[in-house]
Amino acid sequence: RTPKTSEGIPHFSLKQADGQKSTWGLRLDKRHYSCDLMLRGRKLGVAFECQVTLTMGLLGEIEMSILGGDAPSASVHFTSKPLIEVLTSGTKVSWGSLTVPLQEQVSAEIELHALHLLRKKLNPPSAMSFPLGEAQVLFDGEDTVHVAHQRQYTPHVAQALP
């Protein structure tokens, strides 16, 4: 789930700008970023199920570089290891038709694996790249913003929507 209000949107603060490169502070408030997970399987002939809500918060500094050429793009990476917080809640574990008291152990294991995965994907030298081009920003009347990217890049400023 992503933020439902403007107070939960990612907070960016410009720290330094130098030509095609800039450095930004980034904060994601853990109260606003979560997902529900359900794991189902079979072990020793008995079905099991685990349900959990995973919440994430992040604090760090990113560097963005604009790369020109025929296909302009942006490259983004953290300048140092970000502070990542992962919490679980509402963990329910069942084995067959029984609810088993493994919530604390399962929650700890899920938090550990989620934290490991996020660190692997976010810690330097990992980087993300995405194409740049014209985009239309559309508001749906709620707190949701949709960005529709056009496939071809045109090196002039996009016109405002009527």
Side-chain angles (χ1 to χ4, degrees), residues 98-152:
L98 301 173
T99 299
V100 291
L102 297 173
Q103 287 83 352
E104 288 182 25
Q105 295 89 338
V106 170
S107 291
E109 198 65 25
I110 290 172
E111 288 175 11
L112 182 68
H113 285 287
L115 193 56
H116 174 74
L117 176 68
L118 288 169
R119 284 184 177 149
K120 184 177 176 183
K121 294 292 183 184
L122 298 178
N123 283 349
S126 294
M128 297 173 277
S129 294
F130 49 94
L132 297 176
E134 289 186 23
Q136 292 180 335
V137 178
L138 308 171
F139 297 94
D140 67 1
E142 300 292 325
D143 289 326
T144 307
V145 177
H146 302 277
V147 179
H149 290 279
Q150 296 177 356
R151 288 277 182 211
Q152 275 191 328

Side-chain angles (χ1 to χ4, degrees), residues 11 15 25 39 42 48-49 56 60-61 64-65 68 81 89 101 106 110 112 122-123 133 142 146:
H11 176 74
K15 295 189 173 216
L39 307 169
R42 194 171 228 24
F48 68 87
E49 183 175 288
M56 183 195 98
E61 186 173 278
M64 182 172 74
S65 299
K81 292 180 181 181
S89 61
V106 170
I110 290 172
L112 182 68
L122 298 178
N123 283 349
E142 300 292 325
H146 302 277

Side-chain angles (χ1 to χ4, degrees), residues 54-94:
L54 189 64
T55 305
M56 183 195 98
L58 186 138
L59 181 64
E61 186 173 278
I62 58 174
E63 185 175 273
M64 182 172 74
S65 299
I66 305 298
L67 310 171
D70 291 338
S73 65
S75 176
V76 178
H77 68 274
F78 281 90
T79 58
S80 60
K81 292 180 181 181
L83 175 62
I84 303 169
E85 188 172 6
V86 176
L87 300 170
T88 55
S89 61
T91 304
K92 296 177 187 172
V93 182
S94 62

Side-chain angles (χ1 to χ4, degrees), residues 34-54:
S34 64
C35 67
D36 296 322
L37 303 173
M38 180 183 289
L39 307 169
R40 291 183 180 163
R42 194 171 228 24
K43 188 74 172 174
L44 302 173
V46 181
F48 68 87
E49 183 175 288
C50 175
Q51 298 175 1
V52 65
T53 298
L54 189 64

